[in-house]
Amino acid sequence: MAPRWTDGRCARFLERHNSGLNFALLAVAYVLYLLAGAGIFSAVELPYERELRRELRAARDDFLGNNTCVSDARLEELLARALQANNYGVSVLTNDTERNWDFVSSLFFTSTVLTTTGYGHTVPLSDEGKAFCIFYSLFGIPVTLFFLSAVVQRIMVLVSVRPVSYFHRRWAISRSKLSVIHAACLAVLMIVLLLIIPALIFVKLEKDWNFLESLYFCFISLTTIGLGDYVPGETHSKDDNPHPQLYRLAITVYLLLGLICILVVLETCCELPQMRRLRQRFYKENIRDDQLNDVSDVMIDNISAIPSVSEQAASLRQDTPVSGSAANKKLR
């Protein structure tokens, strides 16, 4: 009797704390994912870092050996100054100061700040600029998020809700299956239009980038990671790019539109019925509320599948046409 009583108590405990246990497992899995990623990056990148450090030391020793008039301290001071300026977006190598803070470059900077991409290649130099950046971002980032959510909601109605509802009524296929198919097609289309094709374009425009680097830049930018190791137009000379401002403006438009499209795809995937049921396993919600939501979803699906009164009347008029004389005979 004791084992049965214990088993029943454990079953009731698991049923009562199911969402909490699922959330604990999710947290453990996420921490393990972080640790695994850190281990893989360390194993892959650490040898390259050591090799780069060795090459830099060798180049520095070779320079000091060939230029005995330059002291180690002076060279250290020059390199520190150059690296500090480079962190502020000013490079000593073929630097074009007119491209850093003109209007188009500033527009590109504000777009990366408000979308939280933040490449870090151009930053405010003055104290006034840093103070303004704080207040500008404090109000601009919430407004940007609100604007993006409004735009995504409107686009979702056009590219996700209406197509799924139309084919659901047209083909009488379950809404959940249609949603999965639609989300998969939309994701593939966005990958081709926002990642593959732009990466091929950047390969042609950026002479120092290969396809992987271009694809890497597109992905890092559209996901708002913005590491800043690859920024388009930074290595261009005036001969290679006679219209740098137009090029920077086109990239700004691409990043904003691409971010909106990425958010539409993510929102479409998150609104899948399968994803909703998966989220309910980790959220702390009342089971009765979940059941009511499921019932309401089923009712909405059934109501949407029923044709309207006008559609039924139109179909009846098309299927059973009656002439005026026949109608008079029936009345008589």
Side-chain angles (χ1 to χ4, degrees):
M1 298 296 295
R4 293 182 180 178
W5 179 80
T6 305
D7 294 341
R9 187 174 181 180
C10 293
R12 288 193 301 270
F13 176 81
L14 293 176
E15 183 179 0
R16 184 179 301 175
H17 301 85
N18 187 24
S19 62
L21 294 175
N22 289 333
F23 178 77
L25 292 176
L26 178 64
V28 172
Y30 183 73
V31 172
L32 293 177
Y33 189 76
L34 289 176
L35 296 176
I40 294 174
F41 276 116
S42 178
V44 172
E45 297 297 331
L46 187 57
Y48 287 91
E49 180 187 2
R50 291 174 178 172
E51 181 64 21
L52 181 59
R53 290 180 182 273
R54 188 190 63 80
E55 293 178 357
L56 287 176
R57 291 193 187 99
R60 176 177 175 176
D61 295 338
D62 183 69
F63 178 81
L64 291 175
N66 295 328
N67 300 273
T68 56
C69 60
V70 179
S71 64
D72 191 5
R74 296 291 295 175
L75 179 61
E76 186 80 16
E77 182 181 356
L78 175 62
L79 292 177
R81 180 59 178 161
L83 291 175
Q84 183 181 7
N86 186 73
N87 291 332
Y88 285 96
V90 180
S91 176
V92 297
L93 301 176
T94 62
N95 182 47
D96 188 3
T97 56
E98 295 179 356
R99 292 190 306 192
N100 286 336
W101 287 106
D102 54 19
F103 180 78
V104 177
S105 299
S106 300
L107 178 63
F108 180 74
F109 171 77
T110 55
S111 65
T112 58
V113 168
L114 296 184
T115 56
T116 67
T117 303
Y119 290 112
H121 69 292
T122 301
V123 295
L125 302 176
S126 62
D127 293 337
E128 295 82 1
K130 294 175 183 177
F132 177 73
C133 185
I134 294 175
F135 291 102
Y136 185 75
S137 303
L138 183 64
F139 295 99
I141 291 177
V143 172
T144 302
L145 295 177
F146 178 76
F147 169 73
L148 292 177
S149 63
V151 174
V152 169
Q153 189 273 336
R154 290 180 175 272
I155 297 178
M156 281 279 296
V157 174
L158 296 177
V159 303
S160 296
V161 177
R162 289 183 180 178
V164 172
S165 299
Y166 172 78
F167 289 111
H168 174 66
R169 294 192 302 267
R170 184 79 173 179
W171 296 342
I173 303 176
S174 64
R175 188 180 293 272
S176 61
K177 293 182 179 179
L178 281 175
S179 299
V180 173
I181 297 173
H182 174 266
C185 296
L186 190 63
V188 172
L189 181 63
M190 292 301 173
I191 289 174
V192 174
L193 295 180
L194 298 178
L195 295 179
I196 304 299
I197 295 179
L200 294 174
I201 295 175
F202 280 120
V203 169
K204 299 296 184 181
L205 297 178
E206 301 288 335
K207 60 180 181 181
D208 296 332
W209 294 8
N210 55 30
F211 178 75
L212 178 60
E213 293 170 340
S214 301
L215 183 64
Y216 169 81
F217 163 76
C218 295
F219 178 81
I220 292 297
S221 300
L222 295 182
T223 53
T224 68
I225 298 175
L227 295 179
D229 48 352
Y230 289 94
V231 179
E234 291 297 308
T235 59
H236 284 170
S237 63
K238 292 184 177 180
D239 296 333
D240 297 332
N241 188 9
H243 305 286
Q245 294 185 350
L246 182 61
Y247 182 62
R248 186 65 62 87
L249 182 61
I251 294 174
T252 304
V253 174
Y254 160 71
L255 293 178
L256 291 176
L257 295 180
L259 177 60
I260 293 174
C261 295
I262 292 295
L263 291 176
V264 169
V265 175
L266 292 177
E267 186 69 18
T268 302
C269 295
C270 290
E271 291 300 322
L272 292 175
Q274 295 82 356
M275 293 299 298
R276 289 183 178 180
R277 289 192 292 268
L278 181 62
R279 292 198 301 268
Q280 290 174 0
R281 299 187 59 181
F282 302 98
Y283 288 173
K284 189 176 181 180
E285 296 177 348
N286 193 353
I287 299 177
R288 185 174 299 177
D289 294 337
D290 296 340
Q291 293 176 352
L292 290 176
N293 291 332
D294 293 339
V295 171
S296 63
D297 292 339
V298 173
M299 294 177 62
I300 292 174
D301 292 341
N302 293 332
I303 292 174
S304 62
I306 300 175
S308 62
V309 177
S310 60
E311 292 177 352
Q312 294 181 4
S315 62
L316 289 176
R317 286 196 300 268
Q318 293 177 358
D319 295 339
T320 57
V322 180
S323 61
S325 60
N328 294 330
K329 289 180 181 181
K330 289 182 180 181
L331 291 175
R332 293 175 184 176

